[in-house]
Amino acid sequence: MVKPNSLAYLSATFLLLTVSTLVSAHSSLHHTFLQCLTHHTKNCSTQLSDIVFANTNPKFPTVLQNYIRNARFNTSSTPKPLLIVTPLTESHVQAAVICAKTVNVQLKIRSGGHDYEGISYISKKHPFIVLDMFNLRKIKVDIKNEVAVVQAGAVMGEVYYRIWKKSKVHGFSAAVCPTVGVGGHISGGGYGNMLRKYGLSVDNVIDAQIVDVKGNLLNRKTMGEDLFWAIRGGGGASFGVIVSFTIKLLPVPKTVTVFRVERTLEQNATDLVLQWQQVAPTTDPGLFLRLLLQPEGKTVTASVVALFLGGAKELVSILEKEFPLLGLKKESCTEMRWIDSVLWFYDDKSLKNGAKPETLLDRHVNTAFFLKRKSDYVQKAIPREGLECIFKRMIKLGKIGLVFNPYGGRMAEIPSDATPFPHRKGNLFKIQYSVNWFDPSVGAAKNFTNQAKKLYNYMTPFVSKNPRSAFLNYRDLDIGVNRFGKNSFQEGEVYGAKYFNNNFQRLVKVKTKVDPDNFFRNEQSIPVCPSKA
């Protein structure tokens, strides 16, 4: 018979042995990976141990947390990678892919960390390595040829700033948020407040570099047009590791105009939203009229936040005719440089607080808050009674807000199969369901994510159908997850049809050709053809 204190001793011994075994296994993986990396890295002057962080390394938590943008995935119970690799050169990326395959561990790829569901830096089912691209952030701007080569680890704020330093009359159509990483943002579609004039980021990409599953560094010519098509809206992480994009610079006027106008329900916000639906997708392509709807106590505030690629006088003249309910006056408008409008649109109080273009270089590392996002597309204007019911539901739920981003203009001119991003002609606007919170409790997370789900379900009659479409860069695991078992293709089709509509099948063909063993995978990646699964 074993005495109780003996049982305690045995339990403690077992625990120590288990911990010892895990530490030994991780140490062995770290050693094996480093050896492999050394063998496969060309002309390396870098101390490779400085770019590979085992989870026993004191710097590991900081490196991991710096680019976690959703605090829901920054808890003690969140699965952690076995290693984080922070490449400094293309050769490091090539070797990391080869070595992750060699040790047979899943590879997650992170550029800016804005993946709303955190799947670029967590995996709940399998051991994994994070390939963090933040050091690969070179930006080469060529004003003469109106192009720029931007590496995947750069953030969009850095891109805007580097363009502005070379030219005051060039910009780029991309993220409103300056800390979004180039690799994920552009490869997922990439939109911003000039999309009605110039389309998406991917509509202005003319070349790219990607490391494929064999560790080859490919450009547009060597990867072929099918793969080049796929990574412009299909998400790069399904096909390889995006190293850089070559983008076409876009002309912007020396003076642009911004404004914000707010109305509550008591100030006829319903009428305002009704008219907004008619105007925002059809007005001058140089005018972007974003609409924010936010419950505040017993009312809802509707805010029209705008960028116009021109002067205030012209803008007021347009909206007096097309959007009279807005009642826009010239004194409500602010004229500024395009680069300042980037700062203003991200935070309209920033310029008053002394923000300069250099502010865009601040990556705001390790500044995550709790959030949930979802998306929809609207193809028929929502009638008055529908809006009234939506507002009542928002007030009842309490915190979840809606962001309406209008389409039309250039977006309606580009064919739906020109890139994997299919949501073009026929879509009036995109909806983002948005809720942020700061309470770290499990109860708070459940409450706020449920608010998002409930409003999403309530919106069913008013949004696109067959499929109910969604935007890849507003990552949402509620709409489907792939477990990569025998039903992998069928599971992928569920979310794939929503993100890519009729382009999903072509993406599957490209995936099957370039990565037949499905090495590059995540919870919502493109699956291979059923015969290859």
Side-chain angles (χ1 to χ4, degrees):
M1 181 176 177
V2 181
K3 295 180 181 179
N5 61 340
S6 299
L7 283 172
Y9 173 78
L10 289 171
S11 297
T13 302
F14 177 76
L15 180 61
L16 285 170
L17 287 171
T18 302
V19 171
S20 176
T21 302
L22 288 171
V23 170
S24 177
H26 291 165
S27 177
S28 176
L29 173 68
H30 184 226
H31 178 72
T32 303
F33 193 89
L34 268 177
Q35 280 190 319
C36 178
L37 208 62
T38 302
H39 179 70
H40 289 282
T41 301
K42 303 169 186 174
N43 305 320
C44 184
S45 58
T46 305
Q47 186 71 29
L48 293 177
S49 58
D50 292 341
I51 66 166
V52 181
F53 298 85
N55 55 17
T56 52
N57 188 315
K59 295 180 180 178
F60 179 91
T62 300
V63 176
L64 177 62
Q65 291 169 19
N66 274 347
Y67 294 97
I68 290 179
R69 302 296 189 181
N70 189 343
R72 288 168 58 205
F73 310 116
N74 190 21
T75 68
S76 59
S77 60
T78 304
K80 305 296 189 294
L82 303 175
L83 302 173
I84 303 173
V85 185
T86 59
L88 297 168
T89 68
E90 292 89 342
S91 179
H92 293 160
V93 178
Q94 293 174 271
V97 169
I98 293 168
C99 296
K101 283 181 62 184
T102 300
V103 299
N104 194 27
V105 176
Q106 186 178 9
L107 191 68
K108 294 277 188 167
I109 307 153
R110 181 167 75 172
S111 53
H114 275 266
D115 192 313
Y116 286 147
E117 298 282 13
I119 65 174
S120 62
Y121 51 85
I122 66 169
S123 178
K124 295 179 180 178
K125 299 289 186 182
H126 305 285
F128 65 105
I129 295 169
V130 168
L131 182 65
D132 200 321
M133 303 291 285
F134 70 88
N135 283 322
L136 285 169
R137 57 204 282 187
K138 292 177 185 174
I139 301 165
K140 295 180 181 178
V141 179
D142 179 354
I143 293 299
K144 181 180 178 181
N145 293 302
E146 295 188 303
V147 298
V149 178
V150 294
Q151 288 191 314
V155 296
M156 289 312 310
E158 293 171 328
V159 176
Y160 300 145
Y161 179 80
R162 296 302 172 197
I163 295 171
W164 174 77
K165 286 292 284 184
K166 291 291 184 74
S167 169
K168 310 311 179 200
V169 291
H170 285 87
F172 190 63
S173 179
V176 170
C177 180
T179 60
V180 169
V182 164
H185 178 69
I186 295 182
S187 69
Y191 88 99
N193 50 26
M194 295 200 295
L195 87 169
R196 300 189 65 255
K197 178 71 172 179
Y198 294 120
L200 304 172
S201 301
V202 289
D203 300 325
N204 300 287
V205 169
I206 57 176
D207 206 340
Q209 283 188 312
I210 185 172
V211 173
D212 71 3
V213 72
K214 296 178 181 178
N216 298 313
L217 180 63
L218 308 173
N219 59 20
R220 179 174 183 172
K221 183 177 180 180
T222 53
M223 77 174 78
E225 287 301 305
D226 282 342
L227 181 53
F228 183 64
W229 174 86
I231 61 174
R232 288 177 297 135
S238 289
F239 306 97
V241 183
I242 302 294
V243 175
S244 69
F245 285 107
T246 302
I247 60 174
K248 183 170 56 178
L249 303 184
L250 304 169
V252 295
K254 289 185 177 180
T255 300
V256 302
T257 305
V258 299
F259 70 80
R260 173 188 284 265
V261 172
E262 296 184 347
R263 299 278 192 279
T264 63
L265 294 181
E266 294 74 23
Q267 297 168 324
N268 296 322
T270 306
D271 291 333
L272 185 81
V273 176
L274 278 170
Q275 195 166 80
W276 177 92
Q277 291 182 96
Q278 306 302 322
V279 176
T282 60
T283 189
D284 186 305
L287 175 55
F288 181 73
L289 296 165
R290 171 180 269 191
L291 177 69
L292 312 176
L293 300 174
Q294 188 65 44
E296 295 179 3
K298 295 182 179 181
T299 192
V300 171
T301 298
S303 305
V304 179
V305 186
L307 170 71
F308 178 59
L309 300 175
K313 183 178 179 180
E314 183 184 0
L315 173 59
V316 171
S317 175
I318 291 171
L319 291 182
E320 279 179 346
K321 297 173 186 176
E322 298 183 9
F323 201 175
L325 283 178
L326 189 65
L328 184 69
K329 304 297 181 185
K330 189 175 180 182
E331 52 266 29
S332 299
C333 301
T334 306
E335 295 183 335
M336 59 181 61
R337 303 173 300 181
W338 176 79
I339 193 69
D340 293 323
S341 78
V342 173
L343 289 164
W344 183 92
F345 223 88
Y346 178 58
D347 177 3
D348 59 9
K349 297 180 179 64
S350 62
L351 296 175
K352 291 181 180 178
N353 294 331
K356 304 294 182 186
E358 287 73 18
T359 306
L360 294 169
L361 301 176
D362 185 350
R363 290 181 158 229
H364 297 283
V365 295
N366 199 6
T367 54
F369 52 84
F370 298 88
L371 63 89
K372 175 63 182 177
R373 302 289 189 267
K374 298 176 77 66
S375 63
D376 260 319
Y377 286 89
V378 173
Q379 296 168 343
K380 294 181 180 179
I382 302 171
R384 175 183 295 275
E385 57 270 24
L387 289 174
E388 290 172 345
C389 291
I390 290 166
F391 295 153
K392 288 178 182 177
R393 183 55 57 104
M394 292 175 73
I395 291 169
K396 183 178 179 181
L397 290 170
K399 190 170 173 66
I400 179 76
L402 299 176
V403 183
F404 291 1
N405 293 297
Y407 280 20
R410 181 68 181 137
M411 290 295 287
E413 298 169 355
I414 299 170
S416 61
D417 60 356
T419 70
F421 179 96
H423 317 296
R424 307 284 190 168
K425 187 177 181 181
N427 290 286
L428 298 177
F429 55 94
K430 174 179 64 185
I431 298 177
Q432 178 178 172
Y433 300 77
S434 176
V435 61
N436 303 333
W437 66 96
F438 296 95
D439 181 348
S441 69
V442 174
K446 185 176 181 180
N447 173 36
F448 292 120
T449 55
N450 281 342
Q451 280 193 35
K453 292 174 185 176
K454 287 177 180 177
L455 187 56
Y456 178 84
N457 290 337
Y458 189 80
M459 293 291 290
T460 302
F462 309 112
V463 299
S464 60
K465 299 170 179 63
N466 302 316
R468 182 174 182 171
S469 295
F471 178 37
L472 180 65
N473 275 358
Y474 290 173
R475 182 80 69 182
D476 180 10
L477 295 184
D478 297 340
I479 68 172
V481 173
N482 206 321
R483 290 178 285 272
F484 295 106
K486 63 180 181 179
N487 297 318
S488 174
F489 175 80
Q490 289 79 8
E491 289 175 346
E493 197 170 27
V494 171
Y495 56 81
K498 295 171 184 175
Y499 287 139
F500 308 113
N501 295 9
N502 294 331
N503 294 329
F504 174 69
Q505 297 293 344
R506 183 178 174 187
L507 286 168
V508 171
K509 289 180 181 177
V510 177
K511 168 71 173 180
T512 306
K513 180 180 178 182
V514 303
D515 184 20
D517 296 324
N518 199 26
F519 174 72
F520 291 111
R521 65 191 184 278
N522 59 53
E523 288 78 354
Q524 283 190 340
S525 57
I526 303 297
V528 296
C529 286
S531 60
K532 297 288 184 180

mmCIF file of all heavy atoms in Angstrom, residues 83-117:
data_model
loop_
_atom_site.group_PDB
_atom_site.id
_atom_site.type_symbol
_atom_site.label_atom_id
_atom_site.label_comp_id
_atom_site.label_asym_id
_atom_site.label_seq_id
_atom_site.Cartn_x
_atom_site.Cartn_y
_atom_site.Cartn_z
ATOM 1 N N LEU A 83 8.679 27.934 -31.527
ATOM 2 C CA LEU A 83 9.764 28.850 -31.922
ATOM 3 C C LEU A 83 9.154 30.059 -32.613
ATOM 4 O O LEU A 83 8.083 29.965 -33.229
ATOM 5 C CB LEU A 83 10.729 28.176 -32.907
ATOM 6 C CG LEU A 83 11.453 26.891 -32.516
ATOM 7 C CD1 LEU A 83 12.210 26.346 -33.733
ATOM 8 C CD2 LEU A 83 12.415 27.149 -31.360
ATOM 9 N N ILE A 84 9.852 31.191 -32.539
ATOM 10 C CA ILE A 84 9.542 32.349 -33.381
ATOM 11 C C ILE A 84 10.789 32.640 -34.202
ATOM 12 O O ILE A 84 11.882 32.788 -33.652
ATOM 13 C CB ILE A 84 9.169 33.590 -32.557
ATOM 14 C CG1 ILE A 84 7.980 33.304 -31.635
ATOM 15 C CG2 ILE A 84 8.832 34.756 -33.492
ATOM 16 C CD1 ILE A 84 7.674 34.447 -30.686
ATOM 17 N N VAL A 85 10.630 32.725 -35.508
ATOM 18 C CA VAL A 85 11.735 33.026 -36.414
ATOM 19 C C VAL A 85 11.508 34.423 -36.974
ATOM 20 O O VAL A 85 10.426 34.730 -37.479
ATOM 21 C CB VAL A 85 11.820 31.999 -37.557
ATOM 22 C CG1 VAL A 85 13.052 32.255 -38.421
ATOM 23 C CG2 VAL A 85 11.843 30.577 -37.003
ATOM 24 N N THR A 86 12.509 35.291 -36.868
ATOM 25 C CA THR A 86 12.384 36.689 -37.289
ATOM 26 C C THR A 86 13.408 36.988 -38.393
ATOM 27 O O THR A 86 14.461 37.571 -38.129
ATOM 28 C CB THR A 86 12.593 37.628 -36.085
ATOM 29 O OG1 THR A 86 13.896 37.394 -35.523
ATOM 30 C CG2 THR A 86 11.560 37.368 -35.004
ATOM 31 N N PRO A 87 13.125 36.595 -39.618
ATOM 32 C CA PRO A 87 14.106 36.692 -40.700
ATOM 33 C C PRO A 87 14.529 38.122 -40.993
ATOM 34 O O PRO A 87 13.757 39.067 -40.869
ATOM 35 C CB PRO A 87 13.366 36.092 -41.900
ATOM 36 C CG PRO A 87 11.914 36.239 -41.569
ATOM 37 C CD PRO A 87 11.824 36.087 -40.083
ATOM 38 N N LEU A 88 15.801 38.242 -41.402
ATOM 39 C CA LEU A 88 16.361 39.528 -41.795
ATOM 40 C C LEU A 88 16.574 39.612 -43.302
ATOM 41 O O LEU A 88 16.764 40.698 -43.844
ATOM 42 C CB LEU A 88 17.704 39.759 -41.089
ATOM 43 C CG LEU A 88 17.666 39.857 -39.559
ATOM 44 C CD1 LEU A 88 19.077 39.795 -38.994
ATOM 45 C CD2 LEU A 88 16.964 41.129 -39.121
ATOM 46 N N THR A 89 16.573 38.461 -43.979
ATOM 47 C CA THR A 89 16.812 38.399 -45.420
ATOM 48 C C THR A 89 15.852 37.405 -46.063
ATOM 49 O O THR A 89 15.251 36.571 -45.380
ATOM 50 C CB THR A 89 18.253 37.948 -45.731
ATOM 51 O OG1 THR A 89 18.392 36.571 -45.320
ATOM 52 C CG2 THR A 89 19.288 38.797 -45.008
ATOM 53 N N GLU A 90 15.763 37.492 -47.385
ATOM 54 C CA GLU A 90 14.950 36.529 -48.127
ATOM 55 C C GLU A 90 15.460 35.111 -47.914
ATOM 56 O O GLU A 90 14.676 34.158 -47.825
ATOM 57 C CB GLU A 90 14.969 36.862 -49.635
ATOM 58 C CG GLU A 90 14.256 38.135 -50.013
ATOM 59 C CD GLU A 90 15.150 39.358 -49.967
ATOM 60 O OE1 GLU A 90 16.232 39.293 -49.314
ATOM 61 O OE2 GLU A 90 14.779 40.394 -50.567
ATOM 62 N N SER A 91 16.785 34.975 -47.819
ATOM 63 C CA SER A 91 17.389 33.656 -47.616
ATOM 64 C C SER A 91 16.931 33.023 -46.301
ATOM 65 O O SER A 91 16.725 31.812 -46.220
ATOM 66 C CB SER A 91 18.913 33.774 -47.648
ATOM 67 O OG SER A 91 19.526 32.529 -47.427
ATOM 68 N N HIS A 92 16.757 33.856 -45.269
ATOM 69 C CA HIS A 92 16.248 33.339 -43.991
ATOM 70 C C HIS A 92 14.846 32.777 -44.145
ATOM 71 O O HIS A 92 14.503 31.757 -43.545
ATOM 72 C CB HIS A 92 16.229 34.452 -42.939
ATOM 73 C CG HIS A 92 17.576 34.933 -42.532
ATOM 74 N ND1 HIS A 92 17.784 36.153 -41.923
ATOM 75 C CD2 HIS A 92 18.810 34.363 -42.635
ATOM 76 C CE1 HIS A 92 19.071 36.312 -41.672
ATOM 77 N NE2 HIS A 92 19.716 35.246 -42.100
ATOM 78 N N VAL A 93 14.034 33.465 -44.943
ATOM 79 C CA VAL A 93 12.660 32.997 -45.172
ATOM 80 C C VAL A 93 12.680 31.662 -45.904
ATOM 81 O O VAL A 93 11.972 30.715 -45.532
ATOM 82 C CB VAL A 93 11.842 34.035 -45.975
ATOM 83 C CG1 VAL A 93 10.431 33.507 -46.251
ATOM 84 C CG2 VAL A 93 11.774 35.360 -45.235
ATOM 85 N N GLN A 94 13.501 31.578 -46.941
ATOM 86 C CA GLN A 94 13.597 30.336 -47.709
ATOM 87 C C GLN A 94 14.021 29.170 -46.818
ATOM 88 O O GLN A 94 13.426 28.084 -46.858
ATOM 89 C CB GLN A 94 14.610 30.514 -48.851
ATOM 90 C CG GLN A 94 14.169 31.507 -49.917
ATOM 91 C CD GLN A 94 15.265 31.762 -50.933
ATOM 92 O OE1 GLN A 94 16.096 32.644 -50.749
ATOM 93 N NE2 GLN A 94 15.283 30.972 -52.002
ATOM 94 N N ALA A 95 15.041 29.413 -45.995
ATOM 95 C CA ALA A 95 15.536 28.357 -45.113
ATOM 96 C C ALA A 95 14.501 27.981 -44.060
ATOM 97 O O ALA A 95 14.350 26.802 -43.716
ATOM 98 C CB ALA A 95 16.830 28.818 -44.436
ATOM 99 N N ALA A 96 13.759 28.984 -43.553
ATOM 100 C CA ALA A 96 12.749 28.709 -42.518
ATOM 101 C C ALA A 96 11.651 27.795 -43.047
ATOM 102 O O ALA A 96 11.175 26.902 -42.334
ATOM 103 C CB ALA A 96 12.158 30.018 -42.005
ATOM 104 N N VAL A 97 11.255 27.998 -44.282
ATOM 105 C CA VAL A 97 10.231 27.139 -44.887
ATOM 106 C C VAL A 97 10.758 25.707 -45.011
ATOM 107 O O VAL A 97 10.078 24.732 -44.631
ATOM 108 C CB VAL A 97 9.799 27.680 -46.265
ATOM 109 C CG1 VAL A 97 8.931 26.660 -47.015
ATOM 110 C CG2 VAL A 97 9.052 29.008 -46.106
ATOM 111 N N ILE A 98 11.949 25.576 -45.540
ATOM 112 C CA ILE A 98 12.548 24.243 -45.704
ATOM 113 C C ILE A 98 12.687 23.543 -44.352
ATOM 114 O O ILE A 98 12.361 22.351 -44.207
ATOM 115 C CB ILE A 98 13.922 24.355 -46.397
ATOM 116 C CG1 ILE A 98 13.753 24.835 -47.842
ATOM 117 C CG2 ILE A 98 14.669 23.022 -46.361
ATOM 118 C CD1 ILE A 98 15.059 25.244 -48.516
ATOM 119 N N CYS A 99 13.119 24.283 -43.346
ATOM 120 C CA CYS A 99 13.399 23.665 -42.041
ATOM 121 C C CYS A 99 12.124 23.355 -41.265
ATOM 122 O O CYS A 99 12.075 22.368 -40.523
ATOM 123 C CB CYS A 99 14.332 24.553 -41.234
ATOM 124 S SG CYS A 99 15.968 24.727 -42.011
ATOM 125 N N ALA A 100 11.094 24.168 -41.410
ATOM 126 C CA ALA A 100 9.811 23.844 -40.778
ATOM 127 C C ALA A 100 9.260 22.546 -41.362
ATOM 128 O O ALA A 100 8.691 21.711 -40.644
ATOM 129 C CB ALA A 100 8.818 24.984 -40.972
ATOM 130 N N LYS A 101 9.439 22.384 -42.681
ATOM 131 C CA LYS A 101 9.023 21.117 -43.309
ATOM 132 C C LYS A 101 9.876 19.964 -42.796
ATOM 133 O O LYS A 101 9.366 18.867 -42.540
ATOM 134 C CB LYS A 101 9.150 21.217 -44.832
ATOM 135 C CG LYS A 101 8.041 21.999 -45.510
ATOM 136 C CD LYS A 101 8.226 22.020 -47.015
ATOM 137 C CE LYS A 101 8.158 20.622 -47.598
ATOM 138 N NZ LYS A 101 8.433 20.621 -49.057
ATOM 139 N N THR A 102 11.164 20.204 -42.650
ATOM 140 C CA THR A 102 12.086 19.154 -42.211
ATOM 141 C C THR A 102 11.728 18.634 -40.820
ATOM 142 O O THR A 102 11.741 17.429 -40.572
ATOM 143 C CB THR A 102 13.538 19.677 -42.207
ATOM 144 O OG1 THR A 102 13.887 20.088 -43.537
ATOM 145 C CG2 THR A 102 14.504 18.597 -41.745
ATOM 146 N N VAL A 103 11.400 19.553 -39.892
ATOM 147 C CA VAL A 103 11.047 19.132 -38.528
ATOM 148 C C VAL A 103 9.557 18.798 -38.406
ATOM 149 O O VAL A 103 9.089 18.412 -37.330
ATOM 150 C CB VAL A 103 11.437 20.206 -37.484
ATOM 151 C CG1 VAL A 103 12.934 20.452 -37.504
ATOM 152 C CG2 VAL A 103 10.675 21.525 -37.707
ATOM 153 N N ASN A 104 8.828 18.972 -39.521
ATOM 154 C CA ASN A 104 7.405 18.603 -39.592
ATOM 155 C C ASN A 104 6.567 19.343 -38.560
ATOM 156 O O ASN A 104 5.790 18.758 -37.803
ATOM 157 C CB ASN A 104 7.231 17.091 -39.416
ATOM 158 C CG ASN A 104 5.829 16.631 -39.829
ATOM 159 O OD1 ASN A 104 5.178 17.256 -40.671
ATOM 160 N ND2 ASN A 104 5.359 15.553 -39.211
ATOM 161 N N VAL A 105 6.746 20.672 -38.524
ATOM 162 C CA VAL A 105 5.961 21.518 -37.623
ATOM 163 C C VAL A 105 5.256 22.584 -38.456
ATOM 164 O O VAL A 105 5.839 23.163 -39.374
ATOM 165 C CB VAL A 105 6.859 22.183 -36.555
ATOM 166 C CG1 VAL A 105 6.037 23.130 -35.685
ATOM 167 C CG2 VAL A 105 7.527 21.131 -35.690
ATOM 168 N N GLN A 106 3.991 22.846 -38.133
ATOM 169 C CA GLN A 106 3.200 23.830 -38.863
ATOM 170 C C GLN A 106 3.835 25.207 -38.772
ATOM 171 O O GLN A 106 4.353 25.606 -37.720
ATOM 172 C CB GLN A 106 1.777 23.877 -38.297
ATOM 173 C CG GLN A 106 0.826 24.767 -39.086
ATOM 174 C CD GLN A 106 -0.588 24.754 -38.522
ATOM 175 O OE1 GLN A 106 -0.834 24.219 -37.445
ATOM 176 N NE2 GLN A 106 -1.521 25.344 -39.237
ATOM 177 N N LEU A 107 3.796 25.959 -39.883
ATOM 178 C CA LEU A 107 4.385 27.294 -39.948
ATOM 179 C C LEU A 107 3.272 28.333 -40.054
ATOM 180 O O LEU A 107 2.433 28.275 -40.952
ATOM 181 C CB LEU A 107 5.311 27.406 -41.162
ATOM 182 C CG LEU A 107 6.206 28.639 -41.251
ATOM 183 C CD1 LEU A 107 7.265 28.615 -40.156
ATOM 184 C CD2 LEU A 107 6.872 28.726 -42.625
ATOM 185 N N LYS A 108 3.258 29.275 -39.122
ATOM 186 C CA LYS A 108 2.325 30.397 -39.154
ATOM 187 C C LYS A 108 3.091 31.642 -39.577
ATOM 188 O O LYS A 108 4.223 31.869 -39.121
ATOM 189 C CB LYS A 108 1.708 30.615 -37.771
ATOM 190 C CG LYS A 108 0.813 29.472 -37.310
ATOM 191 C CD LYS A 108 -0.582 29.608 -37.893
ATOM 192 C CE LYS A 108 -1.539 28.599 -37.308
ATOM 193 N NZ LYS A 108 -2.932 28.908 -37.622
ATOM 194 N N ILE A 109 2.486 32.484 -40.424
ATOM 195 C CA ILE A 109 3.179 33.634 -41.003
ATOM 196 C C ILE A 109 2.513 34.918 -40.536
ATOM 197 O O ILE A 109 1.309 35.103 -40.726
ATOM 198 C CB ILE A 109 3.164 33.563 -42.544
ATOM 199 C CG1 ILE A 109 3.712 32.209 -43.012
ATOM 200 C CG2 ILE A 109 3.960 34.706 -43.147
ATOM 201 C CD1 ILE A 109 3.172 31.771 -44.349
ATOM 202 N N ARG A 110 3.300 35.808 -39.929
ATOM 203 C CA ARG A 110 2.749 37.053 -39.382
ATOM 204 C C ARG A 110 3.492 38.249 -39.961
ATOM 205 O O ARG A 110 4.714 38.264 -40.005
ATOM 206 C CB ARG A 110 2.876 37.031 -37.849
ATOM 207 C CG ARG A 110 2.315 38.258 -37.164
ATOM 208 C CD ARG A 110 2.165 38.062 -35.660
ATOM 209 N NE ARG A 110 3.423 38.110 -34.934
ATOM 210 C CZ ARG A 110 3.517 38.118 -33.602
ATOM 211 N NH1 ARG A 110 2.417 38.041 -32.860
ATOM 212 N NH2 ARG A 110 4.695 38.170 -33.006
ATOM 213 N N SER A 111 2.744 39.252 -40.423
ATOM 214 C CA SER A 111 3.394 40.490 -40.864
ATOM 215 C C SER A 111 3.082 41.611 -39.873
ATOM 216 O O SER A 111 3.957 42.074 -39.148
ATOM 217 C CB SER A 111 2.995 40.864 -42.295
ATOM 218 O OG SER A 111 1.599 40.911 -42.462
ATOM 219 N N GLY A 112 1.823 42.029 -39.775
ATOM 220 C CA GLY A 112 1.497 43.091 -38.822
ATOM 221 C C GLY A 112 0.704 42.626 -37.620
ATOM 222 O O GLY A 112 0.521 43.376 -36.655
ATOM 223 N N GLY A 113 0.177 41.399 -37.674
ATOM 224 C CA GLY A 113 -0.545 40.845 -36.536
ATOM 225 C C GLY A 113 -1.992 41.287 -36.428
ATOM 226 O O GLY A 113 -2.641 41.044 -35.410
ATOM 227 N N HIS A 114 -2.534 41.912 -37.473
ATOM 228 C CA HIS A 114 -3.913 42.408 -37.411
ATOM 229 C C HIS A 114 -4.955 41.351 -37.781
ATOM 230 O O HIS A 114 -6.136 41.682 -37.876
ATOM 231 C CB HIS A 114 -4.087 43.627 -38.320
ATOM 232 C CG HIS A 114 -3.684 44.911 -37.665
ATOM 233 N ND1 HIS A 114 -4.573 45.732 -37.010
ATOM 234 C CD2 HIS A 114 -2.477 45.507 -37.532
ATOM 235 C CE1 HIS A 114 -3.940 46.779 -36.523
ATOM 236 N NE2 HIS A 114 -2.661 46.680 -36.838
ATOM 237 N N ASP A 115 -4.549 40.145 -38.001
ATOM 238 C CA ASP A 115 -5.508 39.073 -38.260
ATOM 239 C C ASP A 115 -6.480 39.022 -37.082
ATOM 240 O O ASP A 115 -6.100 38.711 -35.952
ATOM 241 C CB ASP A 115 -4.758 37.744 -38.399
ATOM 242 C CG ASP A 115 -5.641 36.643 -38.944
ATOM 243 O OD1 ASP A 115 -6.770 36.496 -38.457
ATOM 244 O OD2 ASP A 115 -5.193 35.933 -39.858
ATOM 245 N N TYR A 116 -7.750 39.330 -37.338
ATOM 246 C CA TYR A 116 -8.717 39.519 -36.254
ATOM 247 C C TYR A 116 -8.915 38.285 -35.377
ATOM 248 O O TYR A 116 -9.304 38.397 -34.222
ATOM 249 C CB TYR A 116 -10.070 39.953 -36.818
ATOM 250 C CG TYR A 116 -10.119 41.387 -37.295
ATOM 251 C CD1 TYR A 116 -10.927 41.757 -38.378
ATOM 252 C CD2 TYR A 116 -9.377 42.386 -36.671
ATOM 253 C CE1 TYR A 116 -10.992 43.072 -38.812
ATOM 254 C CE2 TYR A 116 -9.433 43.694 -37.106
ATOM 255 C CZ TYR A 116 -10.243 44.041 -38.175
ATOM 256 O OH TYR A 116 -10.304 45.336 -38.600
ATOM 257 N N GLU A 117 -8.664 37.109 -35.938
ATOM 258 C CA GLU A 117 -8.829 35.884 -35.152
ATOM 259 C C GLU A 117 -7.493 35.308 -34.678
ATOM 260 O O GLU A 117 -7.425 34.200 -34.153
ATOM 261 C CB GLU A 117 -9.597 34.827 -35.962
ATOM 262 C CG GLU A 117 -11.016 35.235 -36.339
ATOM 263 C CD GLU A 117 -12.005 35.090 -35.187
ATOM 264 O OE1 GLU A 117 -11.566 34.909 -34.038
ATOM 265 O OE2 GLU A 117 -13.215 35.139 -35.438
#
